[in-house]
Amino acid sequence: MAKVEKLGAHARAELAADLPGWTLEGEHLKRSFRFGDFSQAFAFMTRVALLAEAQDHHPEWFNVWNRVDIALTTHDAGGLSLRDVKMAKSIDALLG
Ligand code: H2B
């Protein structure tokens, strides 16, 4: 995979408007999701896992029962990159 650039300050500042629902915490884009039950939460995780494989970009995440917390960052860049923005938008698109 080609070297990927970290987002600059200007691009970072625009993220809040571009990705409502996500928060910027240090070098991570974060969002917490709630579902009706574990089965729905895990079904969502399965769909995200397939996206992650397709994009070769994998989330840091935490699940307990109906809750899925996702944190996106780009290890290859040592921080946030456009890959994280793309993944966040793809995840949002899963939920309509
Ligand atoms: N996921 C994330 N979040 N960041 C990366 O830099 C990354 C990844 N790199 N998934 C990919 C896989 C890399 O490790 C492999 C070798 O392509």
Side-chain angles (χ1 to χ4, degrees), residues 5-64:
E5 296 297 322
K6 260 174 89 160
L7 290 183
H10 182 71
R12 287 175 66 103
E14 289 188 335
L15 283 182
D18 203 25
L19 292 169
W22 294 82
T23 57
L24 192 52
E25 291 182 35
E27 294 298 331
H28 289 82
L29 262 178
K30 295 189 177 182
R31 185 165 181 183
S32 186
F33 300 86
R34 303 282 166 131
F35 298 90
D37 56 23
F38 174 73
S39 186
Q40 288 175 23
F42 200 80
F44 168 72
M45 292 176 77
T46 302
R47 297 175 78 199
V48 172
L50 295 173
L51 278 180
E53 281 293 271
Q55 295 184 17
D56 194 26
H57 197 63
H58 299 82
E60 297 172 16
W61 54 7
F62 173 83
N63 160 245
V64 61

Side-chain angles (χ1 to χ4, degrees), residues 79-92:
L80 282 175
S81 77
L82 285 176
R83 288 189 200 168
D84 302 302
V85 176
K86 182 179 178 198
M87 177 59 68
K89 287 181 177 174
S90 299
I91 291 170
D92 285 348

Side-chain angles (χ1 to χ4, degrees), residues 1 56-58 73-76 83:
M1 183 72 63
D56 194 26
H57 197 63
H58 299 82
T73 193
T74 302
H75 306 126
D76 293 349
R83 288 189 200 168

